[in-house]
Amino acid sequence: MYNNENKTLKFNEDGKFKILMFSDLHSHGNFHGIGRAFYRNKMLNAMNALLDEVKPDFVMVGGDLCVGSFHSDSMSREENMALTLKDMEEVLEPVISRNIPWAHVFGNHDAEAMFTKEEQENLLEKLPNCLSQAGPKELYGVGNYVLPVYSYKNEGKIGYNIFCLDSNRELKDELKLFGVEGKDDNAILPFPFGMGKCQSMPLFSQVMWYFNKSVEIEYKEGRKVPAIMCMHNPILEYNLIYRNPEETDMKGSKRESPACSELNSGLFFACLERGDVKGIFCGHEHLNTYQGTYCGITLAYDGCIGFDMSAHDDLRGGRIIELDENEGKFETKFIALVDLMGKKAWRNEESFEGGWHTEYFIRNTHL
C-alpha cells in the first residue's frame, strides 16, 4: 500500500509488504550506439517480466543505474542534464508506469558518470513515486536515509524500516581523505578477505548515523523496530556465507568471490549490537545470487538485471523480500529471469553465456 500524497509506505491488510530489489542495470543510453539500445530493450522486457510476476508493493534499485554518462560537446551542460533526466525516466518506465513507489542506492559506477551523485540524486527525485533522499549533507556519500513502512493495524506506528546506505566507490577515494599515500594497494594485501579488489563500503560516519538513527527511532516508537538494510557493495561478512555454507544455510549461486572492501568499518557489528536489522541486501556482483544467515542476520545478493555487461544468463533476475509486520520477520528468495522468460533472458538467444559447467545447464539440459 502506498500513500502518494504523503509519500508514505504502509503494510497491506494481511500484514505483508513485498519488495522487489534489482540492481546493475548499467544502462548507458543510446549515445553509445545501437548495441546499447538493443540491450536496454532486453532489460526493459526483463523488468516488465519481473514486475508482472512479483507484483511488488515497492521497488529498490540497488545501484549502478549508470544513466548519467551522457556527454555531447554540441549541447550545453543543462541540455545534457535534461537528456539524462529523460533517460532516467525511460530506464525506470516499467516501474513508473505501474505507479509503484521506488527508491535507489548508488553503485560504484554511478560515481563515474558525467554528473555528480548529488546532481543525479536531484534528477532522480524529480521522477514519479521516487522516495529516495539525499540524506544528511554532513555524511560521506549520497543517499543515506531510512524509509519507514507503517503498520496497517496500528495507525501511525512503524512496522518495519528500510535503511539505505551509499557504499561509495573505491578505497583509494577514502584513503586520500585519510592521508594514506599511494593507491588502494595500501589496503590490498596478498591474502585478502574477499576478491582483493578496490571496492569501498559505508564509512564509520555512516555507521554512526545508522546506529544513532536506530536509537532515535526506538525512543520515538517505544520499542525496537525491525529493519532491513540495502546498499550496492557487499560488506566483508559476505565471505563467511560461502565459506561456511552448512552453518549459514547458504542458498543460491556463488561464482565469484565478493568484491568487498578489505577495510571493515564495523557496519555488521553495529547492526548486531542494535538488534533491529534482520537482513542486509546488495547488488554489485553479477555472478552471485546467494544468501545465508550469520549471527541471525541474513546476507543476500539480488542478482543483476542488466544485459550490457559481464554476467551469466541464468543469474539475471531480482530478489523478493516480503516483510511481515505480524511476526516482525521477512522471507526472501532470488527469482531468475530464465524461469520467467526462457531463452529471452539470455544476452544472445543463440548462445548461452556462462559455460556448460553451471548449475543451470545441469538442471536444464532439455534446453
Side-chain angles (χ1 to χ4, degrees):
M1 181 179 293
Y2 173 60
N3 184 329
N4 189 44
E5 182 178 351
N6 298 318
K7 289 191 174 183
T8 57
L9 302 173
K10 190 173 183 180
F11 277 92
N12 295 301
E13 187 175 2
D14 61 359
K16 302 294 180 63
F17 186 83
K18 188 183 295 184
I19 300 169
L20 173 63
M21 181 174 177
F22 53 75
S23 68
D24 296 274
L25 288 72
H26 288 260
S27 188
H28 296 278
N30 297 338
F31 270 153
H32 296 266
I34 191 170
R36 296 283 185 179
F38 174 76
Y39 292 127
R40 170 174 290 190
N41 288 334
K42 288 186 72 71
M43 181 190 69
L44 292 174
N45 290 335
M47 290 170 64
N48 281 316
L50 275 177
L51 291 165
D52 287 343
E53 175 70 19
V54 177
K55 296 178 174 57
D57 299 302
F58 174 72
V59 171
M60 172 56 66
V61 182
D64 278 1
L65 187 63
C66 299
V67 293
S69 57
F70 284 114
H71 178 68
S72 172
D73 294 333
S74 65
M75 294 191 299
S76 67
R77 185 172 179 82
E78 289 72 24
E79 289 172 323
N80 274 301
M81 188 170 288
L83 185 57
T84 297
L85 176 60
K86 181 180 178 181
D87 191 48
M88 288 175 169
E89 188 165 14
E90 178 184 315
V91 169
L92 294 168
E93 189 276 337
V95 180
I96 293 172
S97 65
R98 288 170 171 79
N99 199 34
I100 303 172
W102 61 277
H104 83 288
V105 290
F106 281 116
N108 56 306
H109 290 300
D110 293 317
E112 299 164 355
M114 175 183 179
F115 300 111
T116 66
K117 289 192 293 186
E118 288 84 357
E119 290 172 317
Q120 292 178 63
E121 179 70 31
N122 288 335
L123 293 177
L124 286 164
E125 289 183 23
K126 296 179 186 297
L127 298 180
N129 298 335
C130 177
L131 302 185
S132 302
Q133 302 169 26
K137 291 184 178 181
E138 65 273 14
L139 280 186
Y140 194 77
V142 180
N144 302 293
Y145 59 99
V146 58
L147 295 176
V149 184
Y150 286 93
S151 170
Y152 182 88
K153 58 184 180 181
N154 298 311
E155 188 68 30
K157 287 291 186 179
I158 301 175
Y160 236 96
N161 280 311
I162 305 171
F163 281 97
C164 303
L165 293 178
D166 185 354
S167 53
N168 305 305
R169 193 180 75 97
E170 296 182 357
L171 278 176
K172 60 185 177 183
D173 300 336
E174 287 77 57
L175 293 177
K176 288 180 182 178
L177 293 177
F178 306 151
V180 178
E181 296 296 329
K183 299 181 179 180
D184 52 290
D185 303 75
N186 292 282
I188 308 299
L189 299 175
F191 300 100
F193 288 111
M195 188 183 288
K197 295 292 184 180
C198 58
Q199 270 19 100
S200 190
M201 70 290 176
L203 301 193
F204 184 64
S205 60
Q206 296 169 267
V207 176
M208 286 195 297
W209 170 82
Y210 149 69
F211 193 96
N212 291 332
K213 178 61 70 171
S214 172
V215 171
E216 175 188 321
I217 293 171
E218 180 180 5
Y219 178 78
K220 287 183 178 180
E221 292 291 309
R223 74 193 199 289
K224 201 178 293 289
V225 179
I228 61 169
M229 184 174 284
C230 300
M231 67 190 74
H232 183 69
N233 296 340
I235 56 176
L236 188 146
E237 285 79 6
Y238 272 69
N239 292 282
L240 296 175
I241 304 300
Y242 80 86
R243 292 177 182 176
N244 304 274
E246 293 184 10
E247 293 81 357
T248 60
D249 191 26
M250 176 182 167
K251 300 179 179 66
S253 296
K254 181 266 178 187
R255 298 182 190 164
E256 61 180 325
S257 296
C260 62
S261 170
E262 290 300 309
L263 297 179
N264 192 340
S265 61
L267 178 61
F268 185 87
F269 201 92
C271 293
L272 191 62
E273 183 173 344
R274 282 299 303 143
D276 55 352
V277 172
K278 309 299 182 184
I280 300 175
F281 302 91
C282 76
H284 190 53
E285 316 290 2
H286 306 167
L287 304 182
N288 289 335
T289 63
Y290 69 77
Q291 69 182 72
T293 302
Y294 176 56
C295 292
I297 299 177
T298 295
L299 303 173
Y301 287 100
D302 66 2
C304 72
I305 199 169
F307 285 79
D308 196 16
M309 75 285 192
S310 61
H312 286 181
D313 289 332
D314 58 314
L315 298 187
R316 286 191 183 88
R319 178 164 289 275
I320 300 172
I321 310 164
E322 187 168 47
L323 309 180
D324 185 341
E325 76 160 314
N326 299 314
E327 301 291 333
K329 299 178 180 179
F330 70 85
E331 294 183 358
T332 185
K333 66 177 181 179
F334 172 73
I335 180 168
L337 284 170
V338 289
D339 293 334
L340 304 180
M341 305 173 68
K343 285 188 176 182
K344 290 184 178 180
W346 296 8
R347 190 170 186 266
N348 179 350
E349 294 181 30
E350 301 301 318
S351 175
F352 175 81
E353 293 184 13
W356 290 86
H357 64 284
T358 63
E359 306 101 302
Y360 179 68
F361 270 93
I362 293 173
R363 297 196 314 267
N364 299 276
T365 53
H366 63 283
L367 294 178

